[in-house]
Amino acid sequence: MFGLNDKHVVISGAGGGIGRALVAAFQTAGARVTACDRDPELLAPLQGVAKSVFELTDAEATARAVAALVAEHGTPDVLVSNAGFSRAETMDTVDQKSWNQEVDINLTGSFNLIDPTMRAMIANGGGAIVMTSTVNALAHYGNPAYAAAKAGLIAYMRAIAVENGRDNIRANCICPGSVRTPAWDHRVEKDPSLLTKVVAHYPLGKLVVPSDVANAALFLASPLAGAITGVALPVDAGLTAGNLRFIRDVF
Ligand SMILES: NC(=O)c1ccc[n+]([C@@H]2O[C@H](COP(=O)([O-])OP(=O)(O)OC[C@H]3O[C@@H](n4cnc5c(N)ncnc54)[C@H](O)[C@@H]3O)[C@@H](O)[C@H]2O)c1
């Protein structure tokens, strides 16, 4: 149905909570998946995939890894640039170090992977790129440096969509709301009741689950979305549609 049978799909951050759901969704659609992460232990449980371990902030290592996976498994038809990281929750914890780290991983690290992959795709006749951004890139929900980097990712995605459409490249972003993955562990450890508070902000009355994000990525990567490019799609259980607490408190 998705037209991805036997297509080569490269997924970064594949060992994480959303990454594992992405791997499962693309495998179910019949794709050949190369799962990438900086942590080999997180990739270890994944079955039936090729694996590639590299650190995205190391541009040379990332370019070498892309060249190797192209040589071994063929040019990717799809890249899901999904790896990300955040720690500095509010402005008072943003400093030079956290700013650099979060921009390096989320924005420059994404470029380090997307650029050589896209060049290979162009030489091969085209491809689809899906980037995992976040609702934090659309309005402020905390994590200032991460938010700035992920908003930069949306601008980069639009640049690709506009300039490389003629190369048969489609590029889109997914902007998930809160998803309970290992990325939330450090917050939940501090406050075990945190997720109840988080859910209260979501119009659908639930958090997003990893498969929600993976299914949206699958659609955007597939020929079903053949005329969709340059889009930042919220997968956010209604969070960015408006301010639910305003409605509750005022009316
Ligand atoms: N969980 C959420 O609430 C949420 C919401 C919006 C967006 N996102 C985004 O979704 C994506 C996946 O997040 P997740 O919740 O699955 O987090 P996660 O922490 O479970 O997974 C992230 C994965 O990326 C890998 N990674 C991180 N930095 C890397 C680097 N420099 N080089 C190579 N690999 C690296 C990690 O090893 C990890 O396996 C991220 O881009 C994140 O920003 C998550």
Side-chain angles (χ1 to χ4, degrees):
M1 173 188 170
F2 286 101
L4 290 166
N5 208 29
D6 208 34
K7 299 293 182 192
H8 183 198
V9 177
V10 173
I11 299 170
S12 72
I18 292 172
R20 289 197 300 269
L22 284 164
V23 169
F26 280 94
Q27 280 183 316
T28 303
R32 293 181 289 120
V33 173
T34 299
C36 311
D37 209 291
R38 65 176 166 189
D39 185 342
E41 281 181 23
L42 292 175
L43 293 180
L46 297 177
Q47 307 273 329
V49 295
K51 295 176 187 175
S52 180
V53 176
F54 56 91
E55 166 57 55
L56 281 167
T57 57
D58 182 339
E60 283 177 18
T62 303
R64 276 199 304 276
V66 171
L69 67 86
V70 167
E72 220 174 313
H73 307 290
T75 303
D77 302 287
V78 171
L79 170 63
V80 186
S81 179
N82 166 72
F85 175 86
S86 180
R87 272 301 171 283
E89 311 281 29
T90 52
M91 286 299 284
D92 52 341
T93 54
V94 172
D95 56 17
Q96 194 72 56
K97 192 171 167 233
S98 58
W99 181 273
N100 288 346
Q101 182 189 34
E102 297 192 17
V103 172
D104 278 355
I105 294 178
N106 294 294
L107 184 56
T108 311
S110 299
F111 171 81
N112 291 343
L113 174 62
I114 292 165
D115 187 63
T117 307
M118 184 174 74
R119 288 176 194 282
M121 285 173 165
I122 291 170
N124 195 43
I129 300 168
V130 180
M131 309 178 194
T132 310
S133 182
T134 167
V135 289
N136 300 51
L138 305 176
H140 191 59
Y141 299 101
N143 302 86
Y146 167 81
K150 292 284 198 178
L153 206 53
I154 294 178
Y156 176 41
M157 173 278 289
R158 290 190 181 123
I160 293 172
V162 172
E163 294 195 22
N164 299 103
R166 75 181 79 172
D167 302 312
N168 196 29
I169 299 287
R170 290 188 304 106
N172 293 289
C173 280
I174 288 173
C175 300
S178 308
V179 191
R180 177 63 179 102
T181 67
W184 280 77
D185 286 352
H186 64 289
R187 296 175 187 144
V188 174
E189 270 164 29
K190 265 197 243 161
D191 177 1
S193 70
L194 182 65
L195 292 172
T196 314
K197 294 180 200 160
V198 175
V199 168
H201 292 269
Y202 280 83
L204 286 182
K206 61 178 185 181
L207 296 185
V208 178
V209 294
S211 61
D212 292 326
V213 181
N215 289 338
L218 189 64
F219 168 67
L220 286 174
S222 79
L224 293 179
I228 300 177
T229 193
V231 163
L233 177 70
V235 180
D236 68 352
L239 183 70
T240 56
N243 189 332
L244 178 59
R245 290 193 75 172
F246 182 92
I247 300 296
R248 278 195 193 131
D249 294 350
V250 174
F251 302 111

